[in-house]
Amino acid sequence: MDDRGACIMNGEFVNPVLTMGTQVSCLLVISHFFQLLLKPLGQPGPVAQILAGFVLGPSCLSHIGRVRNFFFHNFAVDYYETMALYARIIIMFLMGLETDFPYMRRNLRVAGMIAGGSSLICTIFAIAVTSFIYEETGAHGSGFMMAITLAVILSNTAAPFVARLAHDLKFARSDVGRLAISSSLIGDVYSVFLLTIITRNKQRYDSSIWVKGFFSLVIVISVILINRHAVNWLNRRNRNQKYLKSTEIFVLLAILFVAATTLETMGFSSIIACFLIGSMFPRGGKAARTLLIKLSYSVHNFILPIYFGYTGFKADVTLINNFRNFAIVAIVILLSIGGKVTGTLAVCFHLKIPLNEGVLLAFLMNLKGHVDMLALTVGVENNVMSSQVFYNLMMAAVIINSLIWGPVIALMVRREHDILGYKHIAFEFQSPESELKLLACVHGPRPVATMIGLIATCKGPENIAITPYLMHLIELPEKTKTNLLYHQKAEDELSDDDDYGGNDVLEINEAVDIFAAETGVMIHQVKIVSPFANMYADVCEFAEDIRASIIILPFHKHQRIDGKLESGKEGVRITNQKVLRHAKCSVAILVDRGLTAGTSYTSGSESLQHVAILFFGGPDDREALGLSKRLGMHHHINLTVIRFLHTSDRAQNMSVNIVQKEENILLATSNGDDENDDDNVVLTDFYNRYVTSGQMGYVEKHVENGSETASALRDMADMYSMFIVGKGGRGNSALTTGMSDWEECPELGKVGDLLASSDFDLSGSVLVIQQHRPSKNET
């Protein structure tokens, strides 16, 4: 009679499903309790979740006889491992979907060196300490396999732990965060390779291993191709739907689970395969959009807490009850720390990465609880190691290591926030070849085409990296009081967050998908549902989170059929004004007149767009010039800088004199004004780099006062499809004297307000830019 029958005969009710369900419920409840306690202290979610499993496990509550008898049954173990397998599949697939793969591809060498350096030192330490641990744990069997297992334990970095911790501490989108996640994923590849050796050890004489390996590769490639064709078909099907249906999501996930479980049954880990399938999943369209929305909520709120909780649940520190066991655990933890810190810092020193960032990377690479625990479990199941003492002590070492480094990293990030936090660099000082992160906001579908066209031109040349975000701002209406019960309401009164935005969401999604298909540039979409009073805070916080260089806001007026601008909601204008005051990066307001540079590019046209930047002087104009360099490098843009100077400057030679010599060098003569000196330096550099080479144009306009300035602007109204100007200009300059007499929108500045005026006959759009000037608290 089997064990199940014995349990029933003894009057015990053993239901593995009930046991697992109770464990999952307890893990969620306890983890949320710890999160409420630890979050005010700045601790990330994974620490609370691992600690919840640790408390529920044999180290604490399960040390009690009745609790232990309920949770620890031979039947329940298989269910626990199956649950962990399915959790790993969905977690790694979502990590692939969320990973910034273009960044990882650009920085593959750096991330690979960091992962390789730390893993190499840890592997050497593992080999050196194997004989000692082998003897002290009383192990039997292959010492080589124990060395491989120790190498996995010491060298592995838990990529899900790193990603989630970086997200909770709000540095996942920083360069350090993205580099840490990329390095941990590459480290997982090395650990999975060692895990494959452990898994195949039992079948080392099986000559079909290479055939199975090739077949596994074919499975992964086939799934990637099937997803590509299936997703394209699903995106074209039912265009009027915002998201995929539940059955369609089920089919896509079923393909993933069938492939992953097939690899597992063949003796190969599906961790890297699931990540590759996720990273190669077509990003554009409602399929990827639906999966990201549905999976992110379930994974972050349920699957990851359960997965991390189960990690802590497996540790049993009560076995560290003598000096020998304590010494073994301490040696493993210290060697792991030493190997990771030494290897990572050595590589960071070689790559000239700042010391504070290198230390944070070294600490992040110490996070464990992923492939290492799987290696221990597989080793026991395949009888690779016959020492239960080794298994239990290594499990305890892994969990203790993670519980140590999680709070340490949180403390370091909080203390070094000024260094590791958001550091805005103005376009005035940026290289046009550097990566651009921008946040474009829309309240509806009307300005989307113009915004997307602007994103396309901001990219500049094809080889310049850009990470654009499109935020759909939706007003949260005030709740109306009603005495009706929920089931008594009409169908159109029942809504959730997915319903906010109505059909506008469909039009925005379609425009973004067309742009992604034609250009290959992925625009990350975000939806914010908030009352106008607090909307600015959501915009500023998200911009800081993504490390945006600029926020582009839509003007509160929109163009009518007759060409005049009509005012929209006052809340839009108030939001723009608040973002201008509170944002920690540059802010631009786009006055959309429909003929913006870049719109022809998104539709596949090869026409050349003429863009003018109006330069009056001052930090905002220099910021506008810095951004314009990127636009001017685009092959569909003909950029001209039009500098406005006072007529006295030409007569007295008090400003900038452009002298074209044989060397094509711009000579500047200063009049002693510091602000003017800064303008001259910027224009000198711009002229020497772009004008002398013929890439961009430069024109000077000499005017006497604001009236002549307005007249000059009217003369060029039909010459350009877009005008770019700084908000502040030179303050009370003679060039704009009198222009503020008819000012309607101070948030645009004097010149921007004139260009956006309904009385000004202008066919091109206007982009008004304000440079961020840090306050005393930021400096």
Side-chain angles (χ1 to χ4, degrees), residues 439-473:
L439 173 62
C441 301
V442 295
H443 293 270
R446 182 179 286 111
V448 170
T450 304
M451 283 288 187
I452 291 178
L454 187 58
I455 290 173
T457 52
C458 284
K459 185 180 186 298
E462 294 296 329
N463 59 340
I464 303 300
I466 182 172
T467 307
Y469 292 82
L470 183 66
M471 177 178 283
H472 185 191
L473 302 175

Coordinates of all heavy atoms in Angstrom, one line a residue, residues 439-473:
L439 N 9.4 62.0 -22.9 CA 8.0 61.7 -22.5 C 7.1 62.6 -23.2 O 7.1 63.8 -23.0 CB 7.9 61.8 -21.0 CG 6.4 61.6 -20.4 CD1 5.9 60.3 -20.7 CD2 6.4 61.9 -18.9
A440 N 6.3 62.1 -24.1 CA 5.3 62.9 -24.8 C 3.9 62.6 -24.2 O 3.6 61.4 -24.0 CB 5.3 62.6 -26.3
C441 N 3.2 63.7 -24.0 CA 1.9 63.5 -23.3 C 0.8 63.9 -24.3 O 0.9 64.9 -25.0 CB 1.8 64.3 -22.0 SG 3.0 63.9 -20.8
V442 N -0.3 63.2 -24.3 CA -1.5 63.6 -25.0 C -2.8 63.4 -24.2 O -2.8 62.6 -23.3 CB -1.7 62.8 -26.3 CG1 -0.5 63.1 -27.3 CG2 -1.7 61.3 -26.0
H443 N -3.8 64.2 -24.4 CA -5.1 64.1 -23.7 C -6.1 63.4 -24.6 O -7.2 63.1 -24.1 CB -5.6 65.5 -23.3 CG -4.8 66.1 -22.3 ND1 -5.0 66.0 -20.9 CD2 -3.7 66.9 -22.4 CE1 -4.1 66.7 -20.2 NE2 -3.3 67.3 -21.1
G444 N -5.8 63.2 -25.9 CA -6.7 62.6 -26.8 C -6.0 62.3 -28.1 O -4.8 62.5 -28.2
P445 N -6.6 61.8 -29.1 CA -6.0 61.3 -30.3 C -5.6 62.5 -31.3 O -4.8 62.2 -32.2 CB -7.0 60.4 -31.0 CG -8.3 60.9 -30.5 CD -8.1 61.4 -29.1
R446 N -6.1 63.7 -31.1 CA -5.9 64.8 -32.0 C -4.4 65.1 -32.2 O -3.9 65.2 -33.4 CB -6.6 66.0 -31.6 CG -6.5 67.2 -32.6 CD -7.3 68.4 -32.1 NE -8.7 68.2 -32.3 CZ -9.6 68.1 -31.3 NH1 -9.1 68.1 -30.0 NH2 -10.9 68.0 -31.5
P447 N -3.6 65.3 -31.2 CA -2.1 65.6 -31.4 C -1.2 64.4 -31.5 O 0.0 64.6 -31.6 CB -1.8 66.4 -30.2 CG -2.6 65.8 -29.1 CD -3.9 65.3 -29.7
V448 N -1.7 63.2 -31.6 CA -0.9 62.0 -31.6 C 0.0 61.9 -32.8 O 1.2 61.7 -32.7 CB -1.7 60.7 -31.4 CG1 -0.9 59.5 -31.6 CG2 -2.4 60.7 -30.0
A449 N -0.5 62.2 -34.0 CA 0.3 62.1 -35.2 C 1.4 63.1 -35.2 O 2.5 62.8 -35.5 CB -0.6 62.3 -36.4
T450 N 1.1 64.3 -34.7 CA 2.2 65.3 -34.6 C 3.2 64.9 -33.5 O 4.4 65.1 -33.8 CB 1.6 66.7 -34.2 OG1 0.6 67.0 -35.2 CG2 2.6 67.7 -34.2
M451 N 2.8 64.4 -32.4 CA 3.7 64.0 -31.4 C 4.6 62.9 -31.9 O 5.8 62.9 -31.7 CB 3.0 63.5 -30.1 CG 2.4 64.6 -29.3 SD 3.7 65.5 -28.4 CE 2.7 66.5 -27.3
I452 N 4.0 61.9 -32.6 CA 4.8 60.8 -33.1 C 5.8 61.3 -34.1 O 6.9 60.8 -34.2 CB 3.9 59.7 -33.6 CG1 3.1 59.0 -32.5 CG2 4.6 58.6 -34.4 CD1 2.1 58.0 -32.9
G453 N 5.3 62.2 -35.0 CA 6.3 62.8 -36.0 C 7.4 63.5 -35.3 O 8.6 63.4 -35.8
L454 N 7.1 64.2 -34.2 CA 8.2 64.9 -33.5 C 9.2 63.9 -32.9 O 10.4 64.1 -32.9 CB 7.6 65.8 -32.4 CG 8.5 66.7 -31.6 CD1 9.3 67.6 -32.6 CD2 7.8 67.5 -30.6
I455 N 8.6 62.7 -32.3 CA 9.5 61.7 -31.8 C 10.4 61.1 -32.9 O 11.6 60.9 -32.7 CB 8.6 60.6 -31.2 CG1 8.0 61.1 -29.9 CG2 9.5 59.3 -30.9 CD1 7.0 60.1 -29.3
A456 N 9.9 60.9 -34.1 CA 10.6 60.4 -35.2 C 11.8 61.3 -35.5 O 12.9 60.8 -35.8 CB 9.7 60.2 -36.4
T457 N 11.6 62.6 -35.6 CA 12.6 63.5 -36.0 C 13.6 63.7 -34.8 O 14.8 64.0 -35.1 CB 12.0 64.9 -36.4 OG1 11.2 65.3 -35.3 CG2 11.2 64.7 -37.6
C458 N 13.2 63.7 -33.6 CA 14.1 63.8 -32.4 C 15.1 62.7 -32.4 O 16.2 62.9 -31.8 CB 13.3 63.8 -31.1 SG 12.5 65.4 -30.8
K459 N 14.8 61.6 -33.0 CA 15.8 60.5 -33.0 C 17.0 60.8 -33.8 O 18.1 60.4 -33.4 CB 15.1 59.2 -33.7 CG 16.0 58.0 -33.6 CD 15.3 56.8 -34.3 CE 16.1 55.5 -34.1 NZ 17.4 55.6 -34.7
G460 N 16.9 61.7 -34.8 CA 18.1 62.0 -35.6 C 18.5 60.9 -36.5 O 17.7 60.2 -37.1
P461 N 19.8 60.6 -36.6 CA 20.3 59.5 -37.4 C 19.8 58.1 -36.9 O 19.4 58.0 -35.8 CB 21.8 59.6 -37.3 CG 22.1 61.0 -36.8 CD 20.9 61.4 -36.0
E462 N 19.9 57.2 -37.8 CA 19.3 55.8 -37.5 C 20.1 55.1 -36.4 O 19.5 54.3 -35.7 CB 19.4 54.9 -38.8 CG 18.5 55.4 -39.9 CD 17.0 55.3 -39.5 OE1 16.7 54.5 -38.7 OE2 16.3 56.2 -40.0
N463 N 21.4 55.5 -36.2 CA 22.2 54.8 -35.2 C 22.1 55.4 -33.8 O 22.7 54.9 -32.9 CB 23.6 54.7 -35.6 CG 24.2 56.1 -35.8 OD1 23.5 57.1 -36.0 ND2 25.5 56.2 -35.8
I464 N 21.3 56.4 -33.6 CA 21.1 57.1 -32.3 C 20.0 56.4 -31.5 O 18.9 56.2 -32.0 CB 20.8 58.6 -32.5 CG1 21.9 59.3 -33.3 CG2 20.7 59.2 -31.1 CD1 23.3 59.2 -32.7
A465 N 20.3 56.1 -30.3 CA 19.4 55.4 -29.4 C 18.3 56.4 -28.9 O 18.6 57.5 -28.5 CB 20.1 54.7 -28.3
I466 N 17.1 55.9 -28.9 CA 16.0 56.7 -28.4 C 15.0 55.8 -27.6 O 14.7 54.7 -28.0 CB 15.2 57.5 -29.5 CG1 14.1 58.4 -28.9 CG2 14.7 56.6 -30.5 CD1 13.5 59.3 -29.9
T467 N 14.6 56.3 -26.5 CA 13.6 55.6 -25.7 C 12.4 56.5 -25.4 O 12.4 57.3 -24.5 CB 14.2 55.1 -24.3 OG1 15.4 54.4 -24.6 CG2 13.2 54.2 -23.6
P468 N 11.4 56.5 -26.3 CA 10.3 57.4 -26.2 C 9.1 56.7 -25.4 O 8.9 55.5 -25.5 CB 9.9 57.6 -27.7 CG 10.2 56.3 -28.4 CD 11.4 55.7 -27.6
Y469 N 8.4 57.6 -24.7 CA 7.2 57.2 -23.9 C 6.1 58.1 -24.3 O 6.3 59.3 -24.5 CB 7.4 57.3 -22.4 CG 8.4 56.3 -21.9 CD1 9.8 56.5 -21.9 CD2 8.0 55.1 -21.3 CE1 10.7 55.6 -21.4 CE2 8.9 54.2 -20.8 CZ 10.3 54.5 -20.8 OH 11.2 53.6 -20.3
L470 N 4.9 57.5 -24.6 CA 3.7 58.3 -24.9 C 2.7 58.1 -23.7 O 2.2 57.0 -23.5 CB 3.1 57.8 -26.2 CG 1.9 58.6 -26.7 CD1 2.3 60.0 -27.0 CD2 1.2 57.9 -27.9
M471 N 2.4 59.1 -23.0 CA 1.5 59.1 -21.9 C 0.2 59.6 -22.3 O 0.0 60.8 -22.7 CB 2.1 59.9 -20.7 CG 1.2 59.9 -19.5 SD 2.0 60.8 -18.1 CE 3.1 59.5 -17.5
H472 N -0.9 58.8 -22.1 CA -2.2 59.2 -22.3 C -2.8 59.7 -21.0 O -3.0 59.0 -20.1 CB -3.1 58.0 -22.9 CG -4.4 58.4 -23.3 ND1 -5.4 57.5 -23.6 CD2 -5.0 59.6 -23.5 CE1 -6.5 58.1 -23.9 NE2 -6.3 59.4 -23.8
L473 N -3.1 61.0 -21.0 CA -3.6 61.7 -19.8 C -5.1 61.7 -19.8 O -5.7 62.3 -20.8 CB -3.0 63.1 -19.6 CG -1.5 63.2 -19.6 CD1 -1.1 64.6 -19.6 CD2 -1.0 62.5 -18.3

